[in-house]
């Protein structure tokens, strides 16, 4: 331990100390004012256990810095001391858990007595105590001396008047602190608005409502002297009305560098009423009329009516359809947007200020797009002391709408077409004629448009007034290929051609004509528009398109022929091509594949999987129609299935590409190609076969009749187990004599044991399973398939049939294992050896292997436990009982002869007692070389009882009583007469015996006890005795605590291995009573563990202490000469006398060196008389002679 702390300090410096608990608390000292709300944080890290830790807060008051006063805990509600209990229960002191390892201590109403050193403690959840579990900080509570005063008053002001308010802020805090002062305005239930504030860092700032006015100097905060703060608002506004008050806060910097507001105070309020001045104004908008014609002038007048207009500032803005035209500030300089600025530069528009209250917008030449709503907006502005303008109230009148009519036109339009109903692909031609009442006034622009069935309008082509032709966005590509054309045939006639029409060209064709004239400013203007239309209906090519498949021979046999026809409707002209494809779905499949196709250009294309059809299929297409015939000869099962023809309708596009308009699929034609009728018959006879392991299993399968002499057979061999729902495949021989092993043969490893044979007759097949195993038992049968050669030279399965079943049972050899059933009882002492024998009288086979296992039933344990096991590979293993009872190293196994096994348990212990038996398993090799357990047997039980040595402990029961004087010493001997073993140890204890009936009276004297009769002894035995321990010594020589009445007055001696002595010094009358010694005998177990064998107690020893106190002691002690004469000078003389007596006694003894002392105890030593001398005369000298000094 002396080296531990230096080493730990070195490890901490080197950074190799393991993670340890660390508790951190907010750094102190913290200065807080009375009545404030304080929080102190505490967190813990490096801990073990649950993530959520507990916290306990205590305080060490300055008046008692060493005494811990508990405040609050997160785990124990009874933790607070009485002075804090009421505040904790009332919620004025509580702990807020921030995280599992972090918490805040809250004290809501800080008091002066709360000052002191605070400690945060975290109860341990670690496996070992390592680290810091608490941390401390200081809290200083100071008086709240901050004062904020202002004169409460009510002021009535007029808008634009100045306002000045003062506030006194004082503090007497001795610590270094900063002040922050803020003026706020409270209006009704609204949130207070900050007018201006001086922060603790001497920075001025305002809320968003007053920020602009502060930056312009309209709002100021000045400090007059050391305690006075003045608020100045130069120009009051109606929004400033409300209650003004100042608020001060005192800040102190904590040790961590952060600033904390210790206290806040607000002053009395000043109510300020602001009377607004008469600033109202009205605006109206006027114009002469609201209906105009293109080219006429228009004037709009915005009239402002207000008081003192020349002394006020107004801004005017003009708007058209809510879009800004121009704006004019108080300086009367107009600013126009880009569009109207261009017209103003050309002299077509003007914005001006006619007088102080009249603003004018003039448009000299109206356009038709000038139709709309006009308005003006007037905004009053206020000029600040810095010369800048601030927007105030804004007003605008109602909108004035005007309409600008175009110049009237007298044209009319007519449209004609070559046809109203056509077939898709034919051409369309349209003409558009324009007629006027007089001669044309200008030029025409023409737009051809198509309105479809959904009333969607799209531009086809248009011709502008300059004669340029442009196609519409959706017709641009068709126009480039000549699919759409527009032409001006005459000055008043226009044509449109749509070639190779499509279904989407159907609809209403409209000719839209616009008449243009040149205005006075040289620009072209629209004077009139007319339109006319004609409908066109287009019949789609796919309308009524259908296809049908027919056949006159739906069922044929092998090598027959059949025809299929595909009929297409309606009949299309030659310019409309149709492609036809015959498709085929073979029997047993889900997908069709193409056989042959007649393409749209008359070619023939064969499908990818039509190779088998090409040599036996003819295809023909009629000249007068699109019908297609398919003829197939020499039918086989590959031609059996479902047929279907698919027709596709095509159209040539304007860009010479092709578009598939429609696809039609015919009905299904199922052609059945039938096979010959089968004559296959397989033997159905059943038989039963029982055999022993390693014998062969002979199985046969016989075909009685077949369809053709050319038939081939595939034979599948199956086995069915009772546990399986279906049979499992063993072996398959195909019709081409190929072998395939089934899953059962692979899983069970039968490949090397199977032998198949086909006999010369061709209809008999046999299967032999060599070296049969028990697992081969089951029901065997064969599955025969008959195969024939098809017309296309492919083998096909004609029929199949299952044979009768052969029930096969494979047995194991009969078990003949037998063990000796002899029973017995065996009783032994601890540390001896036990022999357990297991004899095998008979076994099933000499080739078998044996597994031997010994087990035991323990008393009060119903389940048996394994002691040891000898595997069949002769490997010895310990059981769970061996590990539990420490049998490892004490077990020994031997086998003197085959079938005889002996297990020896050495150095047995009591816990080894139980009923032992052995169990033998006999294992045999299977035909596949795998070992399996064939039999097992259990031998007769052997009851083993392990006992401990008989107890022979005896303690001397004849002990004389003694009477001693006060302050003398008396001895309590404990003599062991006999012991159970030489290896035993003893635990000795001395007791004081007192009966409860007699209380604390003096014990009877020696003579009185001799005179009492038997009746009194019986009564004493019946009394309940109270035992008080003086001293105890364990078998390991460890002393117990001394009894409180005798503490410091006991001396222990072990005079011999069998004699123990306890000496009581400084006897007092309270020591009078009966005493006894209690002896326990302990022996070592075979596992070297000590246990108590027996215990014995000696007879009571009566001790009487005489009260010798008198005035003689004071007389002797008061006279020094008398004291030395009586107690000091006689001792040398008395010592010489005792030595002389001892020498004479020694010479008179027998010459035997082994003489016994008192009570049979040998004299181990001789000591000189011992004198206890007190020079202070607090107690008389005591002369004590230790045991062995005299006889």
């Amino acid at each position: 331990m002396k080296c531990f702390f230096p080493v730990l300090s070195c490890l901490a410096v080197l950074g190799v100390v393991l993670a340890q608990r660390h508790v951190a608390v907010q750094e102190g000292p913290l200065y807080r004012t009375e009545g404030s709300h304080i929080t102190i944080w505490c967190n813990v890290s490096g801990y073990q256990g649950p993530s959520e830790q507990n916290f306990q807060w205590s305080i060490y008051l300055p008046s008692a810095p060493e005494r811990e006063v508990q405040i609050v805990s997160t785990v124990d509600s009874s933790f607070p001391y009485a002075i804090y209990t009421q505040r904790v229960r009332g919620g004025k002191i509580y702990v807020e858990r921030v995280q599992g390892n972090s918490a805040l201590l809250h004290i809501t109403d800080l008091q002066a007595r709360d000052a002191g050193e605070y400690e945060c403690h975290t109860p341990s959840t670690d496996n070992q105590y390592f680290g810091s579990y608490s941390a401390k900080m200081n809290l200083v509570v100071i008086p709240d001396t901050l004062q904020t005063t202002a004169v409460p008053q009510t002021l009535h002001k007029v808008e634009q008047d100045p306002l000045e308010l003062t506030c006194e802020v004082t503090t007497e805090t001795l610590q270094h602190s900063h002040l922050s002062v803020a003026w706020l305005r409270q209006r009704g239930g609204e949130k207070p608005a900050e007018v201006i504030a001086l922060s603790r860092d001497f920075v001025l700032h305002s809320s968003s409502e007053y920020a602009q006015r502060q930056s312009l100097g309209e709002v100021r905060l000045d400090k007059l002297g050391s305690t006075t703060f003045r608020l100045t608002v130069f120009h009051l506004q109606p929004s400033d009305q409300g209650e003004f008050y100042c608020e001060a806060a005192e800040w102190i910097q904590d040790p961590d560098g952060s600033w904390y507001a210790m206290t806040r105070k607000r002053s009395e309020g000043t109510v300020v009423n602001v009377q607004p001045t008469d600033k109202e104004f009205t605006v109206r908008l006027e114009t002469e009329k609201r209906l105009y014609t293109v080219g006429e002038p228009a004037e709009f007048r915005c009239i402002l009516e207000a008081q003192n207009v020349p002394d006020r500032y107004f801004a005017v803005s003009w708007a058209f359809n809510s879009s800004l035209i121009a704006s004019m500030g108080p300086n009367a300089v107009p600013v126009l947007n880009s569009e109207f600025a261009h017209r103003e530069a050309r002299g077509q528009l003007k914005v001006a200020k006619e007088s102080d209250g009249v603003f004018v917008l003039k448009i000299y030449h109206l356009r038709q797009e000038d139709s709309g709503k006009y308005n003006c907006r007037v905004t009053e502005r206020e000029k600040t002391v810095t010369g800048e303008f601030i927007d105030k109230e804004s007003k605008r009148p109602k909108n004035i709408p005007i309409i600008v009519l175009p110049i009237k036109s007298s044209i009319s339009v007519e449209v004609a077409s070559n046809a109203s109903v056509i077939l898709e692909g034919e051409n369309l031609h349209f003409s558009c004629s324009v007629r006027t009442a007089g001669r044309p006034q200008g030029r025409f622009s023409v737009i051809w448009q198509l309105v479809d069935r959904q009333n969607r309008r799209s531009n086809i082509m248009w011709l502008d007034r300059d004669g340029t032709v442009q196609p519409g966005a959706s017709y641009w590509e068709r126009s480039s290929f000549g699919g759409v054309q527009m032409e001006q045939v005459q000055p008043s006639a226009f044509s449109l051609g749509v070639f190779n029409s499509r279904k989407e060209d159907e609809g209403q064709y409209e000719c839209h004509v616009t008449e243009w004239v040149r205005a006075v400013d040289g620009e072209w203007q629209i004077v009139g528009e007319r339109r006319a239309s004609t409908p066109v209906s287009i019949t789609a090519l796919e309308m009524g398109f259908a296809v049908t498949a027919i056949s006159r021979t739906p069922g044929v046999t092998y090598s027959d022929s059949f025809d299929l026809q595909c009929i297409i409707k309606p009949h299309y002209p030659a310019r409309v091509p149709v492609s036809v494809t015959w498709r085929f779905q073979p029997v047993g499949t889900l997908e069709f594949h193409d056989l042959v196709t007649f393409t749209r250009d008359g070619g023939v294309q064969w499908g990818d999987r039509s190779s088998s059809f090409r040599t036996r299929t003819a295809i023909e297409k009629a000249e007068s129609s699109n019908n297609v015939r398919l003829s197939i000869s020499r039918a086989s099962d590959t031609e059996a299935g479902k047929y279907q023809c698919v027709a596709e309708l095509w159209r040539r596009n304007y860009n010479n590409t092709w578009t598939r308009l429609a696809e039609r699929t015919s009905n299904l034609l199922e052609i059945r190609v039938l096979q010959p009728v089968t004559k296959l018959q397989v033997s159905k006879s059943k038989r039963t076969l029982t055999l022993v392991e390693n014998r062969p299993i002979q199985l046969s399968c016989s075909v009685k009749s077949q369809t053709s002499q050319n038939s081939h057979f595939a034979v599948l061999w199956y086995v069915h187990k009772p546990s399986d729902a279906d049979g499992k495949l063993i072996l398959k021989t195909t019709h081409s004599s190929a072998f395939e092993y089934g899953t059962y043969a692979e899983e069970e490893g039968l490949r090397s044991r199977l032998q198949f044979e086909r006999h010369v007759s061709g209809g008999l097949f046999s299967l032999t399973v060599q070296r049969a195993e028990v697992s081969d038992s089951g029901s065997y049968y064969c599955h025969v398939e008959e195969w024939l050669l098809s017309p296309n030279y492919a083998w096909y399965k004609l029929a199949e049939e299952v044979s009768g079943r052969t029930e096969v049972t494979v047995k194991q050899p009969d078990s003949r294992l037998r063990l000796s059933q002899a029973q017995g009882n065996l009783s032994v002492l601890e540390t001896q050896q036990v022999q357990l024998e297991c004899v095998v009288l008979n076994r099933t086979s000499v080739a078998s292997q044996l597994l031997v296992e010994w087990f035991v039933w323990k008393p009060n344990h119903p389940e048996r436990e394994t002691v040891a096991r000898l595997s069949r590979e002769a490997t010895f293993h310990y059981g769970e009982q061996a590990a539990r009872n420490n049998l490892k190293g004490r077990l020994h196994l031997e086998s003197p002869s085959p079938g005889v096994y002996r297990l020896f348990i050495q150095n047995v212990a009591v816990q080894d007692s139980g009923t032992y038996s052995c169990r033998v398993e006999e294992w045999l090799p299977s035909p596949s070389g795998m070992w399996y357990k064939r039999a097992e047997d259990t031998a007769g039980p052997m009851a083993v009882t392990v006992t401990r040595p008989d107890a022979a402990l005896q303690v001397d029961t004849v002990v004389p009583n003694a009477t001693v004087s006060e302050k003398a010493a008396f001895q309590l001997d404990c003599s062991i007469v006999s012991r159970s073993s030489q290896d035993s140890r003893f635990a000795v204890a001395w007791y004081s015996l007192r009966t409860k009936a007699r209380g604390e009276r003096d014990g009877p004297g020696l003579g009185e006890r001799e005179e009492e009769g038997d009746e009194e002894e019986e009564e004493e035995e019946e009394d309940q005795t109270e035992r008080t321990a003086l001293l105890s010594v364990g078998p390991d020589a460890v002393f117990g605590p001394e009894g409180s009445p005798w503490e410091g007055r006991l001396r222990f001696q072990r005079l011999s291995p069998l004699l123990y002595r306890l000496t009581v010094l400084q006897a007092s009358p309270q020591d009078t009573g009966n005493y006894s010694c209690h002896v326990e005998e302990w022996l070592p177990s075979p596992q070297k563990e000590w246990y108590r064998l027996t215990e014995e107690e000696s007879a009571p020893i009566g001790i009487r202490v005489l009260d010798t106190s008198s005035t003689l002691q004071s007389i002797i002690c008061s006279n020094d000469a008398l004291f030395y004469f009586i107690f000091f000078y006689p001792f040398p003389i008395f010592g010489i006398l005792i030595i002389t007596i001892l020498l004479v006694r020694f010479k008179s003894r027998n010459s035997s060196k082994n003489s016994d002392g008192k009570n049979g105890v040998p004299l181990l030593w001789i000591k000189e008389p011992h004198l206890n001398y007190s020079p202070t005369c607090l107690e008389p000298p005591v002369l004590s002679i230790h045991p062995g000094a005299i006889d």
Side-chain angles (χ1 to χ4, degrees), residues 843 847-853 869-877 893 901 919-926 929-935:
R843 58 202 302 178
S848 63
Q849 293 181 353
L850 301 180
L851 182 147
V852 185
E853 181 184 40
R869 181 186 298 105
L870 180 66
S871 68
R872 56 188 178 85
E873 294 88 2
T875 303
F876 185 76
H877 302 277
L893 176 67
Y901 302 91
R919 183 179 66 87
V920 177
E921 295 180 358
E922 185 177 17
W923 291 68
L924 292 176
S926 67
M930 301 295 293
W931 288 85
Y932 66 92
K933 185 175 72 173
R934 180 64 189 92

Side-chain angles (χ1 to χ4, degrees), residues 927-1031:
S928 60
M930 301 295 293
W931 288 85
Y932 66 92
K933 185 175 72 173
R934 180 64 189 92
E936 69 173 84
D937 194 10
T938 304
M942 171 67 73
V944 177
T945 304
V946 182
T947 60
R948 290 174 174 171
D950 295 334
L953 176 66
Q954 290 187 9
V955 182
D956 190 2
T957 59
V958 180
V959 182
N961 299 327
T963 301
V964 296
S965 61
E966 188 177 4
K967 299 297 182 178
F970 62 88
Q971 298 170 349
L972 302 176
D973 289 343
C974 190
S975 177
I976 300 172
V977 179
S978 63
R979 61 201 303 179
S980 304
S981 172
Q982 294 298 324
D983 298 329
S984 61
R985 294 181 182 178
F986 301 100
V988 183
W990 281 270
Y991 294 91
S992 172
L993 308 178
R994 296 191 180 184
T995 58
K996 293 183 178 181
R998 297 185 179 182
E1000 297 296 326
R1001 295 180 304 169
D1002 293 340
L1006 183 61
E1008 292 175 348
R1009 286 187 174 271
E1010 293 176 353
E1011 295 174 358
E1012 289 178 38
D1014 295 337
E1015 182 178 353
E1016 186 177 354
E1017 292 177 358
E1018 292 176 0
E1019 292 178 357
E1020 288 178 355
E1021 291 175 359
E1022 292 177 359
D1023 290 341
Q1024 186 176 0
T1025 303
E1026 182 179 359
R1027 298 164 59 90
T1028 304
L1030 279 74
L1031 182 67

Side-chain angles (χ1 to χ4, degrees), residues 67 130 250 334 612 837:
R67 179 190 174 193
F130 188 44
E250 186 174 8
S612 61
E837 189 173 64

Side-chain angles (χ1 to χ4, degrees), residues 173-416:
T173 304
L174 298 180
Q175 282 72 27
H176 175 70
S177 61
H178 287 189
L179 291 177
S180 64
V181 179
W183 280 95
L184 297 98
R185 188 207 69 216
Q186 176 74 47
R187 185 163 54 210
E190 298 179 0
K191 181 180 178 181
E194 185 179 74
V195 180
I196 191 168
L198 178 66
S199 69
R200 65 170 185 272
D201 301 323
F202 310 106
V203 177
L204 287 172
H205 58 85
S206 298
S207 64
S208 58
E209 185 176 350
Y210 287 91
Q212 183 179 8
R213 296 171 67 183
Q214 181 207 344
S215 63
L216 298 176
E218 292 285 326
V219 178
R220 289 178 55 88
L221 177 62
D222 299 296
K223 184 176 182 182
L224 308 178
S226 59
T227 61
T228 303
F229 295 86
R230 182 180 66 190
L231 168 67
T232 303
V233 181
F234 287 98
H235 297 94
L236 285 174
Q237 299 178 7
S239 59
D240 294 329
Q241 183 168 296
E243 181 185 12
F244 287 77
Y245 65 90
C246 74
E247 182 180 84
E250 186 174 8
W251 299 76
I252 192 167
Q253 191 173 24
D254 288 341
D256 61 359
S258 63
W259 287 88
Y260 180 81
M262 294 189 298
T263 180
R264 290 181 183 271
K265 297 290 181 62
R266 61 158 286 180
S267 67
E268 296 289 336
T270 296
V271 178
V272 178
N273 297 316
V274 180
Q275 179 68 32
T277 59
D278 186 10
K279 297 290 185 176
E280 291 296 324
F281 63 91
T282 60
V283 180
R284 71 177 187 271
L285 182 63
E286 296 179 352
T287 186
E288 293 181 2
K289 59 181 181 178
R290 300 192 179 189
L291 186 63
Y292 298 88
T293 305
V294 173
E296 290 183 350
E299 180 179 285
F300 300 92
R301 299 170 63 84
C302 186
I303 301 173
L304 169 66
E305 295 178 352
Q307 297 179 1
N308 301 324
V309 174
D311 299 331
R312 298 161 70 178
Y313 302 96
F314 294 95
V316 180
S317 61
W318 291 93
F320 168 63
N321 289 338
S322 300
S323 297
L324 181 65
I325 298 175
S327 60
M328 181 185 298
N331 54 7
V333 177
V335 178
L336 287 82
N337 69 357
S338 59
E339 177 184 356
F340 292 95
H342 178 69
R343 296 178 67 178
E344 191 264 347
R346 296 175 62 179
Q348 300 176 3
L349 183 143
K350 180 181 179 181
V351 176
K353 179 179 180 181
E354 191 174 277
S355 64
D356 290 336
V358 179
F359 303 89
V360 179
L361 168 64
K362 292 183 179 181
I363 303 175
Y364 297 104
H365 300 284
L366 285 173
R367 301 176 181 177
Q368 191 171 358
E369 55 266 26
D370 290 334
S371 297
K373 298 177 181 179
Y374 289 82
N375 205 338
C376 67
R377 177 182 292 274
V378 179
T379 303
E380 185 177 8
R381 293 187 174 183
E382 180 181 348
K383 192 173 185 180
T384 64
V385 293
T386 60
E388 297 182 8
F389 288 99
I390 300 175
D391 288 345
K392 298 184 67 178
E393 189 175 4
S394 178
K395 292 184 178 181
R396 69 180 181 88
K398 292 183 178 180
N399 296 330
I400 293 183
I402 67 170
I403 300 175
V404 181
L405 300 176
I407 300 175
K408 295 182 179 181
S409 175
S410 61
I411 65 173
S412 62
V413 179
E414 292 182 357
V415 175

